[in-house]
Amino acid sequence: MDCLFCRIIAGEIPSTKVYENDKVYAFRDINPQAPTHILIVPKQHLADASELKGENAAVAADIFAAAAEIAKSEGLTGGFRVVTNCGDDACQSVHHLHFHLLGGTKMAEKMS
Ligand code: 5GP
Ligand code: ZN
């Protein structure tokens, strides 16, 4: 298994877990870009958001349900941002689908 996030989900590499259910694992980003920066990942290995189709569509619902719960438990009452980088143009660096949950500050309007 050479996927970093599969190894984190399996507990082979340590992480600061903030949420887990049977479909989703979430942990704090090692290089936070906001006061709250959490990575939400499906336990199922998908490379990126381009694989979210057909039978995988439920993964997106699982991720966003987790995001709403995490935002509540993290006290993000002012709002939050969910971002997924897909492919080279978006600077995706880990090729296991993940969603950045960012919050705890007023973020820039510009997203690129
Ligand atoms: P990407 O650039 O692929 O959208 O996001 C990958 C994210 O994973 C980056 O924000 C990076 O800081 C984070 N990351 C990379 N390696 C590790 C790690 O070993 N542990 C944790 N917690 N985050 C990591
Ligand atoms: Zn993986």
Side-chain angles (χ1 to χ4, degrees):
M1 189 159 60
D2 60 1
C3 170
L4 174 63
F5 287 175
C6 280
R7 295 186 71 190
I8 285 177
I9 292 162
E12 294 176 14
I13 293 173
S15 66
T16 306
K17 180 171 86 171
V18 297
Y19 178 90
E20 183 174 17
N21 65 24
D22 59 333
K23 300 273 176 42
V24 170
Y25 188 81
F27 54 103
R28 295 197 190 280
D29 196 291
I30 204 167
N31 183 26
Q33 297 187 37
T36 298
H37 186 171
I38 291 164
L39 299 173
I40 309 175
V41 306
K43 290 186 173 178
Q44 176 185 356
H45 180 96
L46 299 172
D48 59 46
S50 71
E51 296 191 359
L52 280 176
K53 51 197 170 190
E55 72 276 13
N56 295 327
V59 170
D62 294 333
I63 292 287
F64 278 90
E69 278 200 44
I70 296 165
K72 198 172 174 188
S73 64
E74 292 285 317
L76 302 179
T77 53
F80 58 91
R81 179 172 285 167
V82 177
V83 178
T84 189
N85 294 321
C86 180
D88 289 343
D89 280 2
C91 301
Q92 182 181 7
S93 61
V94 179
H95 295 276
H96 179 129
L97 176 64
H98 56 280
F99 292 74
H100 300 257
L101 172 63
L102 301 151
T105 189
K106 177 79 175 175
M107 280 169 275
E109 283 186 38
K110 196 165 161 26
M111 286 192 284
S112 65

